Amino acid sequence: MIVGGGGTGGALAHDLALRGLRVTLVERGEITSGTTGRHHGLLHSGARYAVKDRESAVECIEENRILRTIAPGSFELNDGLFVALTDEEAAYEKLFFDSCEASQIPARRVGRAEALRLEPNLNPDLRCAVQVPDGTMDAMRLPLRFFATARRNGADIRPFTEVVGMSMTTPTSVDGVQVVDRASGRRYDIGADLVVNAAGPWGEKISRMGGVDVPIQPSPGILVAVRGRFANMVINRLHASGDGDIVLPQRELSVIGTSSWVTDDPDHLAVPADHVEAMFREGSAMIPSLRGARIRASWSAARPLIGERGASTGRELSRTFKCFDHEADDGVSGFVTIAGGKATTLRAMAESTADMVCRKLGVDRPCATRETELLPHTAYYA
Ligand SMILES: Cc1cc2nc3c(=O)[nH]c(=O)nc-3n(C[C@H](O)[C@H](O)[C@H](O)COP(=O)(O)OP(=O)(O)OC[C@H]3O[C@@H](n4cnc5c(N)ncnc54)[C@H](O)[C@@H]3O)c2cc1C
């Protein structure tokens, strides 16, 4: 039983179904209606994390390579440019470049003139740039390919089915979930050998239903989409991660992101006006013509980061992921949580979780998702 139909739950359903397990996934809304369907759309090369979060950088570049082979056609393989605008950023370039190399991220130094040839809308005062294999993805279509393939292999995917409690024969044993069908209002139980909590920023709430605590810190950020493509590559600012320092072309839009704060309630997220202003200010520092761009939409979503409550903005927390075995950690059997990570690392998160699930259920089948090409996203609706 998987709780949560974001990218993580979908990739896990696919992995477990390929290994021959009987899988049911429940999602309280439409598939990808949580954080997954609202993310920036960046297929990370890992460069953003190379200096300060090496583990996450290495995960990203490995998964970037695998996703290109198992989900052909799902990405705009446009590469990314990290641009230095100040003396300080130009001085940071060496550390950035060396850190990319140390993380096995192919990086190429690009001079000012070449950067402007590649992307004529860039700020002409830029000092230097570094090119890396970032890409653009559709936040919904990539995970839909995992759901489509999982379902073709027998997984039972139930959207609009909300978990409202755990079925527990004793206070230390989870045997399934209690759900409400949000279309009909019917309440029923679903028994399971093992329940995996893949509820992203809602993961802590689900874990409490099983009587355990997981350190998930929901960390929202906003995104602003404007009409028109202002660059064809993903444009990033060459400095430590900050607000509004990525401009990503997405079809005929450009999406500027993001900001970062922390919250206890991922259901009620604001889109603060000063954050929208910051997206324009920082985005137009890299691409001056963005200042006059017309807004198509602005929205927010919450990252499911691992970390004890009390973080200041969320930027200090790693983007890596972790599987929690609640039997080993808390003495509650039949219950596992997967948390953290990125949309880029959904397959790796699923592989680690499926390995844990198989170990616990005594199933000896290797992961096959690295080499299994996914069905197209349209197959989900077929
Ligand atoms: C602003 C922003 C920008 C980002 N940009 C990028 C990016 O460009 N590239 C990248 O790789 N990553 C990006 N990320 C990170 C990425 O979006 C997340 O790491 C990823 O989408 C999390 O997926 P998930 O499946 O773990 O969580 P979710 O997608 O949130 O899935 C959890 C699901 O659980 C469901 N659920 C909750 N409670 C219940 C319940 N009681 N019963 C049933 N279901 C329930 C929710 O409805 C939800 O659909 C970004 C994140 C943010 C916030």
Side-chain angles (χ1 to χ4, degrees):
M1 163 66 55
I2 301 169
V3 182
T8 308
L12 179 59
H14 167 58
D15 189 318
L16 291 172
L18 267 186
R19 297 193 207 206
L21 275 78
R22 280 182 59 199
V23 180
T24 302
L25 180 147
V26 290
E27 159 57 48
R28 69 177 185 171
E30 180 53 288
I31 293 305
T32 77
S33 61
T35 302
T36 294
R38 298 162 199 227
H39 74 68
H40 203 161
L42 173 55
L43 174 68
H44 280 276
S45 61
R48 184 169 175 80
Y49 306 117
V51 174
K52 282 205 164 155
D53 191 355
R54 182 71 48 86
E55 192 181 1
S56 184
V58 171
E59 285 163 9
C60 284
I61 187 62
E62 282 179 8
E63 291 306 308
N64 176 310
R65 291 197 178 101
I66 294 170
L67 288 175
R68 286 167 191 246
T69 66
I70 64 170
S74 277
F75 308 106
E76 197 181 326
L77 300 175
N78 38 3
D79 282 353
L81 264 192
F82 280 74
V83 296
L85 300 182
T86 63
D87 287 343
E88 203 184 356
E89 289 168 8
Y92 183 72
E93 190 257 18
K94 183 175 176 347
L95 174 63
F96 177 81
F97 188 84
D98 292 347
S99 302
C100 286
E101 285 210 316
S103 312
Q104 310 286 318
I105 299 166
R108 185 175 79 86
R109 289 194 156 104
V110 176
R112 178 180 169 277
E114 188 187 353
L116 288 169
R117 250 195 328 275
L118 287 169
E119 289 296 351
N121 285 336
L122 282 176
N123 184 337
D125 294 335
L126 74 93
R127 306 295 165 91
C128 58
V130 176
Q131 183 172 356
V132 295
D134 284 343
T136 296
M137 60 172 140
D138 181 299
M140 284 166 270
R141 289 183 180 176
L142 176 68
L144 278 182
R145 295 182 73 159
F146 284 89
F147 282 103
T149 316
R151 199 157 61 180
R152 201 263 315 264
N153 290 326
D156 177 1
I157 312 284
R158 302 189 194 181
F160 303 106
T161 304
E162 179 166 7
V163 170
V164 290
M166 293 289 152
S167 308
M168 302 179 76
T169 38
T170 73
T172 56
S173 128
V174 171
D175 307 305
V177 292
Q178 301 160 354
V179 298
V180 174
D181 176 330
R182 292 180 76 181
S184 66
R186 182 170 78 95
R187 294 174 83 96
Y188 61 101
D189 289 1
I190 309 174
D193 298 312
L194 198 78
V195 174
V196 180
N197 168 13
W202 294 271
E204 195 176 27
K205 202 168 153 192
I206 299 295
S207 74
R208 287 212 190 103
M209 294 179 189
V212 300
D213 234 344
V214 283
I216 295 174
Q217 174 60 74
S219 169
I222 75 147
L223 292 159
V224 176
V226 298
R227 294 180 195 276
R229 280 174 80 93
F230 288 78
N232 282 314
M233 301 171 85
V234 181
I235 306 300
N236 308 259
R237 187 91 177 250
L238 208 169
H239 62 187
S241 300
D243 287 355
D245 57 1
I246 306 176
V247 179
L248 181 125
Q250 174 78 259
R251 302 197 186 89
E252 294 307 315
L253 301 173
S254 300
V255 187
I256 316 170
T258 175
S259 55
S260 184
W261 71 98
V262 293
T263 182
D264 289 337
D265 181 5
D267 278 317
H268 297 98
L269 303 179
V271 181
D274 57 329
H275 289 218
V276 175
E277 174 49 34
M279 295 306 111
F280 276 100
R281 188 181 62 244
E282 298 302 327
S284 61
M286 297 187 289
I287 303 178
S289 48
L290 273 173
R291 187 152 288 288
R294 279 196 303 141
I295 291 194
R296 167 69 175 78
S298 53
W299 66 96
S300 49
R303 304 168 185 87
L305 302 183
I306 304 169
E308 296 298 341
R309 293 287 164 108
S312 59
T313 63
R315 290 237 184 262
E316 67 277 37
L317 299 176
S318 168
R319 267 47 179 171
T320 191
F321 60 86
K322 190 169 175 211
C323 305
F324 297 85
D325 176 348
H326 296 305
E327 186 170 18
D329 298 346
D330 312 290
V332 175
S333 63
F335 197 27
V336 163
T337 293
I338 170 72
K342 305 287 301 171
T344 301
T345 58
L346 79 176
R347 192 215 61 84
M349 295 170 73
E351 178 176 345
S352 295
T353 315
D355 284 348
M356 183 184 277
V357 168
C358 286
R359 245 186 345 264
K360 293 180 76 60
L361 295 178
V363 175
D364 183 18
R365 299 216 185 98
C367 176
T369 59
R370 284 169 189 262
E371 54 280 335
T372 304
E373 188 170 321
L374 298 162
L375 292 177
H377 71 273
T378 46
Y380 182 73
Y381 297 104

